[in-house]
Amino acid sequence: MLRWTAPWLCVVALLAGSPAWSKEPEAGNWKAGAAKVNITPEKYMWMSGYSARKEPAKGKLTDLWAKALVLEDPSGRRGVLVTMDLVGIDRNLSLAVCNELKKKYKLPREAIVLATSHTHSGPVVRGNLDVMYFLDETQQKLIADYVQTLQTKLVAVVGEALGKLAPVQLAWGNGYTTFAVNRRNNKEADVPKLREAGQLKGPVDHDVPVLSVRDAKNRLLAIVFGYACHATVLSGQEWSGDYPGHAQIALEKAYPEAIALFWAGCGADQNPVPRRAVALAEEYGKQLADAVEQVLKAPMTPLGGKLSSVYGEIDLPFDDLPSRDQLVKDSTDTNRYVAARAKLLLKEIEQKGSLKGTYPYPVQVWQLGPELTWVTLGGEVVVDYSLRLKKEIAPGKTWVAGYANDVMAYIPSLRVLKEGGYEGGGAMVYYGLPTVWGPKVEELIVAAVHEQVKKARGMVKEK
Ligand SMILES: [Zn+2]
């Protein structure tokens, strides 16, 4: 099923009797360049996302990729979106990559989005989900080496994309697919039955936002798309991009000259269900790619005007911090994750004198002309955020993504925080954070987004 982003466009297309882009487009307003690099680990190292794995990877189902799309508006202002088939990246890697991109290509922080697909069949990336794994020195060295190589590759792939800048037309639209299920409100085993009966519960965001980048000859050069759902179909010992990987493969097969970039939405409380079979990862990938293709084949909203980008970090407060005594007690807890976190935090107290009561949480907004606002949030963001922000900012003109710039924790809404559970606070232990978020988590993030949107829109209007 397809949802039209701009109903009037359908009317225009019907009157014209042809899709909006069937005529030779006028290229030249925007420029873009895209490139990709294989980031599948060369060695069979530890895999990320599940604490239950007992050994390193043993094989490969699909390659993992990092992809870069550079956009340049008519005034020469640039933005680069980097997507990675990885579970997440931490703040240190993000900082290191952005510093290098600034030095090498003069790209300011706000012009860079580093996004991940959250595949649970990729490698451990140092600094992300640190407490989840208990690894020996050999494994730790493999991770450190991988991150070093990854950093080099990310900077290089942006350079390659910059080198390919050429006139393009940008357009966007929204598709729809339904395999994401709210995992907090539906028992996984009951999902097929509930789905059939139309009784699945809980908020979901089934939008499939799509940005198309076409050259002067109307050929697709890049396709950016998103979906709000965990990439957790698979949990085996083979590298895989999971369903987002399969969707990207399907699109690049359908459009061999294009690079397909997947950008995870606010799917922290969403799972693809049923799951745990390679055929299902392929099937969901195909469903998602089909939704994207429907958008691409229909009239899309052309993006004119300018690009403006805003980036900021807000001091997001935790709830009351644990005392040193509590941590000493926790450090011998029978739950090894609780004990590992306590030891990590005690080390922090030793080094810095105290625990920090806040986390520098990244919020980013790109305004692509008057027609599209990209909101990029850090962490594993629950679906309430995308539903709320799309409604409040501009329905049909807003794209909200999570898992970007720094995946430091789950980001519950106030509702989910109050309800508790894994996404509400339980997962904080695996991220090595001292306690749950404070009750202002949603209020502060949403306020920061609105402030940035206002600023970005103001910049777009400036002459
Ligand atoms: Zn997750």
Side-chain angles (χ1 to χ4, degrees), residues 49 87 118 120 129 183 230-232 267-268 380 403 407 410 422 431:
V87 77
H118 204 47
H120 281 46
L129 286 166
R183 68 186 194 185
H230 257 77
T232 48
E380 301 203 39
Y403 296 91
V407 184
Y410 273 82
Y422 189 73
Y431 278 103

Side-chain angles (χ1 to χ4, degrees), residues 89-345:
I89 57 166
D90 77 335
R91 179 173 162 79
N92 286 337
L93 178 60
S94 202
L95 283 170
V97 171
C98 290
N99 282 342
E100 266 197 78
L101 292 178
K102 189 174 182 185
K103 237 185 335 187
K104 263 195 146 151
Y105 307 119
K106 299 198 167 39
L107 288 163
R109 179 64 192 88
E110 65 270 19
I112 306 161
V113 172
L114 302 173
T116 60
S117 71
H118 204 47
T119 175
H120 281 46
S121 295
V124 170
V125 185
R126 185 193 58 212
N128 174 262
L129 286 166
D130 263 351
V131 174
M132 193 175 260
Y133 320 103
F134 297 85
L135 304 176
D136 61 20
E137 265 179 41
T138 313
Q139 282 303 323
Q140 287 184 30
K141 170 90 171 59
L142 286 174
I143 294 168
D145 291 349
Y146 178 77
V147 172
Q148 199 54 53
T149 309
L150 175 67
Q151 190 179 319
T152 309
K153 284 183 178 177
L154 294 177
V155 175
V157 79
V158 172
E160 201 186 325
L162 275 164
K164 290 183 178 172
L165 275 173
V168 294
Q169 297 259 359
L170 301 181
W172 99 286
N174 239 330
Y176 193 71
T177 195
T178 59
F179 61 81
V181 174
N182 192 305
R183 68 186 194 185
R184 292 171 61 83
N185 299 103
N186 302 280
K187 235 168 113 189
E188 189 157 329
D190 298 340
V191 165
K193 215 170 54 197
L194 292 169
R195 181 177 271 138
E196 216 182 294
Q199 289 173 354
L200 285 170
K201 292 186 191 75
V204 292
D205 179 356
H206 285 157
D207 278 356
V208 179
V210 180
L211 175 85
S212 67
V213 181
R214 296 176 198 263
D215 70 6
K217 291 186 175 147
N218 209 19
R219 282 179 309 204
L220 271 167
L221 291 185
I223 308 157
V224 185
F225 65 107
Y227 194 53
C229 183
H230 257 77
T232 48
V233 180
L234 302 174
S235 56
Q237 295 300 132
E238 293 91 17
W239 303 127
S240 169
D242 209 277
Y243 80 81
H246 284 287
Q248 292 172 84
I249 290 167
L251 287 167
E252 290 180 0
K253 209 169 153 191
Y255 303 96
E257 281 157 344
I259 289 181
L261 303 91
F262 175 82
W263 193 4
C266 301
D269 46 354
Q270 312 288 312
N271 265 344
V273 186
R275 52 187 185 150
R276 305 301 186 220
V278 174
L280 285 170
E282 288 171 6
E283 172 57 28
Y284 297 142
K286 190 178 171 307
Q287 281 180 30
L288 184 52
D290 285 350
V292 173
E293 279 206 74
Q294 280 199 51
V295 176
L296 293 171
K297 286 175 179 167
M300 297 175 73
T301 306
L303 298 181
K306 292 201 297 190
L307 167 72
S308 63
S309 40
V310 184
Y311 176 91
E313 289 169 3
I314 52 173
D315 290 328
L316 205 56
F318 297 115
D319 206 355
D320 294 338
L321 293 173
S323 65
R324 196 179 176 283
D325 288 350
Q326 181 62 45
L327 292 174
V328 171
K329 206 171 139 220
D330 286 352
S331 66
T332 56
D333 200 284
T334 49
N335 178 326
R336 65 178 188 157
Y337 303 106
V338 170
R341 170 174 69 171
K343 284 175 196 158
L344 197 78
L345 296 174

